[in-house]
Every structure is written in structure tokens, then in C-alpha cells.
């Protein structure tokens, strides 16, 4: 399909509890768009890796000329919308190809009746410019659900091999902790997205000690390295 136009399809979607038709021209006309298509919402690889990877790197894609990132699956709009909420995938546009028409037009509709799925999409990604398919990354035709080439890193490397990826940040906090609030403020000031793990809600004191070796919060990790508390974070950010 490289060098060809995407199929002309109208998708039935729901937004703000109202039906809304979205056409392929709405999605791709005059835009540079990355699409990744997958077998199903809420399925393991799609939820743990495929969608989160694109959602996390969405700001970098946009810095490198991508207007939108579309996640497509042969699911209905209600399922896709709930999956987006569950995944907190606010950086993506989810499109339900409920009847499989777009996927069939792409030659990517496959039979997964052995799993009770019926007709679904083969896993792939593509770069589309003004409706014209420039590049596709299609998973190899092997049994199972291969996930080797349609990931966000592969697509970003194709667009710009020198693109700088954001640092992966997590911090342990507890409610009402002023030092935790300061750590989050510093991260935000430096434009660093983070995942917050709340003591007493997400983890216990035992887990905090087991992971960080400390008994106090915040404890900040950046790219799998323990930075430490708010003072250590301040020193790290100043040195950076």
C-alpha cells in the first residue's frame, strides 16, 4: 500500500454522548499522521506496550512534524472510548473501525475466529501524509501476535533517527507531603512528565523500602536510576 491513498471510509464515533461521523479526509486531509492498528482494545500487548508507547512519545512525534497519532482497531466506538479512558491515552486519537471496512481496504483484515475474535486487524503502523501512505511497518506473517516492527520507537526512528526521547520519570509520594509537592513542581517546571506512585494507595512502606532503600518520600527515579529525595532532584536538575 505504500504510495497509495488510504481507503475512503466514514467511521461512526461517539463524542460527548453524541454520534459523530469522522471521514478519512477529516483524519488525513492536509496532515501528517501516524497510524497504528492492532487486534483489539484491552488485549495484553496492545494495552501493555503498543498503545502506551505511542501515547508516551506523542510529544516527540509532534516535535518532528506529526500532526496526529491515530490508534485504530476493529472494535466499536464504546469499547475504544473506554479503553482510551482506562489507558489515559490523552495524546492519541482512537478510531473504531467497527465493521472492519478500513482494515479490509488496507488488506489487513485477518480471521481470528480461533480466539473467538472474529475478523480483526493485523498489527501494523504507517505514516500518512495528506492521505497518501508513505511508509508501512507490518508485523511478520507468523503464528500468534508478533510485535516487532509496528512499535512507536521504530516509527520515530524512521521519521527522525536523531529524535530525542523524553526521560522516563516516576516518583513515590504520599498525600499532604510538601516535599513531594515541591518535587512534582520542579519536574513540571522542567517539562518532565512523571508517573506518581502514592504511598498508602498504590504501595506500602515495605514496598518503598524494598525498591528505594529509603523510608521517606519523595523518592524520584529517572530512566531507571534512583535520584533520591527533593533535594537530590534539585541538584540533579541543576546539574542537567
Amino acid at each position: 500500500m505504500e504510495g497509495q491513498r488510504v481507503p475512503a471510509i466514514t467511521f461512526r464515533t461517539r463524542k460527548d454522548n453524541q454520534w459523530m461521523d469522522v471521514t478519512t479526509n477529516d483524519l488525513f486531509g492536509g496532515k501528517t499522521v501516524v497510524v497504528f492498528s492492532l487486534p483489539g482494545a484491552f488485549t495484553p500487548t496492545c494495552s501493555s506496550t503498543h498503545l502506551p508507547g505511542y501515547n508516551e512519545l506523542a510529544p516527540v512525534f509532534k516535535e518532528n512534524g506529526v500532526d496526529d497519532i491515530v490508534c485504530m482497531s476493529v472494535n466499536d466506538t464504546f469499547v475504544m472510548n473506554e479503553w482510551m479512558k482506562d489507558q489515559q491515552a490523552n495524546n492519541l486519537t482512537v478510531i473504531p473501525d467497527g465493521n472492519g471496512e478500513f482494515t479490509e481496504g488496507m488488506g489487513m483484515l485477518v480471521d481470528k475466529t480461533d480466539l473467538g475474535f472474529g475478523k480483526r486487524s493485523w498489527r501494523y503502523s504507517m505514516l500518512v501524509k495528506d492521505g497518501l501512505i508513505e511508509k508501512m511497518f507490518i508485523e511478520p506473517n507468523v503464528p500468534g501476535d508478533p510485535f516487532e516492527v509496528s512499535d512507536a520507537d521504530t516509527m520515530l526512528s524512521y521519521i527522525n533517527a536523531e529524535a530525542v526521547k523524553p526521560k522516563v520519570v516516576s516518583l513515590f509520594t504520599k498525600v499532604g507531603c510538601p516535599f513531594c509537592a515541591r518535587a512534582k513542581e520542579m519536574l513540571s517546571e522542567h517539562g518532565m512528565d512523571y508517573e506518581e506512585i502514592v504511598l498508602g494507595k498504590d504501595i506500602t512502606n515495605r514496598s518503598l523500602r524494598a525498591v528505594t532503600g529509603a523510608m521517606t518520600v519523595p523518592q524520584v527515579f529517572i530512566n531507571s536510576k534512583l535520584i533520591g529525595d527533593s533535594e537530590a532532584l534539585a541538584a540533579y536538575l541543576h546539574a542537567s
Side-chain angles (χ1 to χ4, degrees), residues 50-219:
H50 207 174
L51 182 144
Y54 278 98
N55 190 56
E56 181 180 323
L57 290 179
V60 186
F61 277 106
K62 294 189 177 182
E63 289 171 3
N64 286 274
V66 174
D67 297 302
D68 199 8
I69 300 175
V70 171
C71 172
M72 191 171 297
S73 182
V74 182
N75 288 114
D76 65 72
T77 186
F78 294 98
V79 169
M80 292 296 280
N81 287 347
E82 287 304 310
W83 188 39
M84 181 183 69
K85 292 177 187 176
D86 181 72
Q87 290 280 316
Q88 299 180 12
N90 300 322
N91 297 323
L92 308 176
T93 298
V94 292
I95 293 295
D97 185 26
N99 295 326
E101 295 169 305
F102 184 89
T103 304
E104 184 173 25
M106 289 293 302
M108 291 290 138
L109 196 66
V110 294
D111 189 346
K112 289 187 174 286
T113 52
D114 60 320
L115 299 176
F117 282 17
K119 301 290 186 180
R120 293 295 178 104
S121 175
W122 190 248
R123 197 184 295 276
Y124 70 94
S125 66
M126 62 180 175
L127 179 64
V128 183
K129 295 185 177 180
D130 193 22
L132 196 68
I133 301 168
E134 177 181 308
K135 181 65 178 178
M136 292 188 70
F137 293 99
I138 304 170
E139 294 299 336
N141 186 16
V142 296
D145 181 23
F147 180 51
E148 301 173 14
V149 297
S150 61
D151 58 287
D153 287 331
T154 299
M155 179 60 76
L156 183 60
S157 294
Y158 170 77
I159 293 171
N160 180 7
E162 305 300 322
V164 178
K165 299 175 186 175
K167 293 179 179 178
V168 182
V169 183
S170 290
L171 71 160
F172 294 89
T173 68
K174 68 178 179 182
V175 176
C177 164
F179 302 103
C180 302
R182 177 56 185 150
K184 291 188 287 183
E185 183 181 342
M186 286 189 286
L187 290 169
S188 295
E189 288 172 352
H190 284 77
M192 300 174 72
D193 290 332
Y194 57 84
E195 182 175 76
E196 184 176 3
I197 306 164
V198 182
L199 189 64
K201 176 185 176 184
D202 302 314
I203 62 163
T204 64
N205 281 292
R206 176 177 293 185
S207 295
L208 176 67
R209 293 197 305 273
V211 174
T212 69
M215 298 181 63
T216 60
V217 288
Q219 294 297 324

